[in-house]
Structures are given as C-alpha cells and as structure tokens.
Amino acid sequence: MAKVQDHYKTLGVDKKASQEDIKKAYRKLARQYHPDTNKEAGAEERFKAISEAYDVLGDPDKRKKYDRGGSVFPGGNPFGGGTAGGGSGGATAADFGSFSDILSGIFNSGGGRTRTKPVAERGKDLETTVTLSFEQATEGAQVPVSVATHAACTTCRGSGARPGTSPKVCPVCNGRGVEAQGQGVFSITRPCSRCNGSGTVIEDPCPTCGGEGRLREMKRYRVNIPAGVREGSRVRLAGKGEPGRNGGPPGDLYVITHVDPSRIFKRKGDNLEVEVPLTIPEAIRGATVEVPTLHGSKKLRVPAGTKHGTVQRLRGEGPRKLDGKGTADIHYRFVIDVPSSLNKEQEQAVEGLAEVMNGNPRAKLFAGRS
Ligand SMILES: [Zn+2]
Ligand SMILES: [Zn+2]
C-alpha cells in the first residue's frame, strides 16, 4: 500500500476548508516547492506530496471518500480501486450506501448488462505553475516546467501484481464488476465491493507500487509560453496530462503562469499603463517628454493645459495579444508632480503665480444655489 499521508496537514488547511481555500493553499505551496525554482533538498519530495494531497482534496468526490476514511489512491489503480491489494475493506464499508453509487447502480441495472471489459478512461488533466518575468510574459519564452504525474510501475509493468503473478478474476462478482442487492424487479446493482467494479483483484501486490500499478514521477518539459500571457493565464499542453487507462487518451497539462509585476508597466486588460509624472510648468505650458516603451523609449507631445489623469496612447506598442489579433497599446497617464517642499526661489515664484492666477475655480460649485 502507498504511504499514508495526512493530506490536510500536507496542504496546511483545516478539515473544513473550502475547495477554493484548498486550491489556493495548493497553488501557493506548489509554487514554493516547485523543483524548477526550489533547489533545496527535499523540495521535490515535498512537491510530490503536495501534488498528491491536491489530487485527493482538490476533487470533491475523492475528498469525501478520503474524509470517510475510505482508501483513495491518488491517481487510481488500473484495476479500479483501493482495495485491490489484500482486499482490505476500506472502500467497501465506506462506499456502501453512498447515494451516487446507488444511483449509478440503478442506471446500470437495466437489462442486466454487465461490464466485461474495463472502460477506456481519459487520463486526468494536470496543472502546474511557472513563474515568468514581466519581459518573458510580454515577449513569450521557452521555460522548463516540472509536473508530478504517474507512470506505469516498471516492476509490474502496470499490472499491480507481483511479477510472476497476475490479477485474478474477482471471486465476489466473477469479473462482472457489479454486485446485485435486493431482489426481484427492483434489485439494484452497485460496483463490486471487493474489486471496486474492475472485475479483477490482485492477491499478491507488486512490492514496488503496492498494487497500484503506477508510481509518482516528475516529468519535465520545455514549454513555449506565448507572448502576451498574464498572471493566471492557462497554457494548455494537449496530451501531456496523466496517461489514459485501459487504452483511453491521455489528459492535458495546464501550465498556469505567474508573472512578476513590472515596476513601470501595469496591466489594463490587453493594454499596459504607465504613469508619467509632469512638472507643474510642463502641464501648464506643454512639453515633449520621453516615455518608456517595451523596447526602448518614445517621445510624446504633451499639449499645453494637460490635466492630471489625462491619458495618451501609443497604439501597437503594447504586448502581443493572446488571441493573436495584433498588438495591444500602451496608455500613458499623466500625473502632475506636486512638490511637497519648496526652496526659497520656488516659494517666491509660487507666490508670484498666486498673485496673478487668483480666480476662484470653485465658484461654479456654488453657482445657482439657493
Ligand atoms: Zn468484484
Ligand atoms: Zn508495480
């Protein structure tokens, strides 16, 4: 059997944590212990444990089973479930009476159809995160990512049975994978409690994988991150998820991007925004100012009388759009730089200004009031 770990402890969450909290905790830890960035001893092991915990707790059904004390194999067993090994009854008692099982039993019972062949099942999708610099996100980059996945156990070649032995037809259901319950017309069937519906049992489990047939493995890829990704973008790698079971197709791998913020450029939808300070005279008289672009700088003409918060845009200077439809813009937002202290000379100049610009701009706030 696989090592027992307390998945809640691994993720550092409470047993009552919401799915959202679990996801958050997972993402945070996954980033922290990601072997691409964390080279400390034990980080990779920790990362695998975190991935394993999220495999279970991130899936509400598996979590429920886990909470009830049923055995939940992290990625599932090619032969269907947790009780394959010594026939320990973990899932047996736990699954009995589960509403969804009974329902599926009802739907499976019509016509006495039985499952003789294992159903091909698509592999699970996987998720991993990658941290990008702001430049990598805007320009696109090829980055290494690691992901904890499963691979067929090499000792038993995925059968789960000790080499030299093989899985046996389940003695409880005779390989049908279901058990009948009740009698007559209304008898319902449910997945076999001994083999969990797979129709086979492993009497002598493989010592390497404990009967699971697969092992945790770190896969490494170089991923082309397209230009224009943002914080939380999902890059899909088709077919790089968990392998399918019983001939099913593999799942996909999603790489979630974490983008380090830029000191200068802020994201505004597709576009970028830059705050450009102007001196008071520049705002009043107008000026030509140099502003940063992604690849250097450009000159902008600031008209006389530019107000605080005015925006000018440079079309097409922004990052490439993710949907491939051209490039976005950079918005330059002018802010008037008001000094908090003045030297003698400036003080005199402001005094002179106050004398000649002495209207009351607030008069209109009160005009026409009774
Ligand atoms: Zn069975
Ligand atoms: Zn094995």
Side-chain angles (χ1 to χ4, degrees):
M1 286 287 152
K3 252 187 286 128
V4 179
Q5 73 180 39
D6 181 339
H7 295 320
Y8 287 101
K9 232 187 231 162
T10 304
L11 293 183
V13 293
D14 192 74
K15 284 218 179 349
K16 292 193 180 70
S18 68
Q19 289 303 121
E20 194 50 38
D21 287 343
I22 287 171
K23 193 174 191 174
K24 265 192 211 141
Y26 161 70
R27 286 197 175 161
K28 186 162 160 269
L29 289 169
R31 200 144 75 208
Q32 186 180 346
Y33 290 100
H34 205 292
D36 289 343
T37 46
N38 192 331
K39 304 293 179 202
E40 278 168 44
E44 179 160 330
E45 282 314 304
R46 187 81 198 269
F47 183 73
K48 284 186 194 175
I50 292 160
S51 303
E52 195 145 340
Y54 185 64
D55 263 0
V56 175
L57 299 186
D59 178 326
D61 286 340
K62 284 191 197 168
R63 184 184 176 189
K64 240 179 260 165
K65 266 191 194 167
Y66 177 75
D67 287 347
R68 285 181 308 191
S71 73
V72 177
F73 272 78
N77 168 327
F79 293 95
T83 54
S88 71
T92 311
D95 279 351
F96 190 86
S98 140
F99 188 59
S100 62
D101 285 350
I102 290 177
L103 272 187
S104 72
I106 289 171
F107 290 120
N108 282 339
S109 65
R113 264 179 284 120
T114 54
R115 205 143 55 95
T116 47
K117 250 197 222 153
V119 178
E121 214 178 285
R122 182 177 176 276
K124 210 162 63 82
D125 289 340
L126 293 174
E127 192 183 291
T128 188
T129 57
V130 68
T131 300
L132 303 169
S133 69
F134 183 79
E135 285 71 29
Q136 285 178 314
T138 49
E139 305 285 304
Q142 200 187 58
V143 293
V145 302
S146 315
V147 60
T149 179
H150 287 103
C153 169
T154 45
T155 306
C156 63
R157 293 166 180 239
S159 79
R162 184 184 289 274
T165 70
S166 54
K168 299 267 181 316
V169 171
C170 172
V172 172
C173 62
N174 289 320
R176 292 167 6 131
V178 289
E179 272 182 286
Q181 205 187 359
Q183 27 172 276
V185 186
F186 293 107
S187 98
I188 57 172
T189 59
R190 59 189 178 87
C192 172
S193 58
R194 174 79 162 86
C195 65
N196 264 343
S198 66
T200 52
V201 290
I202 295 165
E203 271 160 1
D204 199 359
C206 162
T208 306
C209 61
E212 202 187 331
R214 42 169 97 186
L215 293 169
R216 274 257 162 224
E217 189 196 60
M218 292 301 295
K219 274 252 167 73
R220 286 163 222 280
Y221 301 105
R222 289 196 72 82
V223 178
N224 285 313
I225 303 288
V229 294
R230 303 176 203 175
E231 177 68 28
S233 292
R234 288 156 65 88
V235 179
R236 178 168 162 267
L237 275 79
K240 299 286 191 223
E242 297 249 304
R245 297 201 277 160
N246 308 317
D252 299 333
L253 169 62
Y254 288 92
V255 178
I256 316 277
T257 56
H258 171 62
V259 181
D260 285 337
S262 158
R263 210 168 41 80
I264 296 161
F265 301 100
K266 303 266 173 298
R267 268 279 180 191
K268 283 276 147 127
D270 279 343
N271 305 313
L272 298 178
E273 189 178 270
V274 179
E275 209 168 79
V276 182
L278 297 178
T279 64
I280 293 170
E282 281 171 341
I284 295 173
R285 295 194 297 199
T288 300
V289 297
E290 191 178 15
V291 293
T293 60
L294 286 176
H295 306 284
S297 68
K298 284 249 154 116
K299 293 236 155 67
L300 276 190
R301 175 79 210 135
V302 181
T306 290
K307 290 190 163 58
H308 184 88
T310 305
V311 172
Q312 267 195 45
R313 61 199 71 195
L314 283 179
R315 295 202 187 278
E317 287 290 335
R320 236 181 293 162
K321 289 187 190 169
L322 253 189
D323 60 12
K325 290 180 188 149
T327 46
D329 309 333
I330 303 183
H331 295 185
Y332 296 94
R333 205 161 65 83
F334 297 116
V335 293
I336 294 168
D337 197 32
V338 180
S340 49
S341 68
L342 299 172
N343 62 29
K344 260 256 127 33
E345 218 176 331
Q346 290 166 334
E347 221 167 85
Q348 279 170 6
V350 172
E351 246 159 56
L353 192 65
E355 263 166 45
V356 292
M357 293 181 78
N358 56 2
N360 181 1
R362 292 167 297 282
K364 63 186 169 205
L365 296 180
F366 302 96
R369 260 187 161 198
S370 51

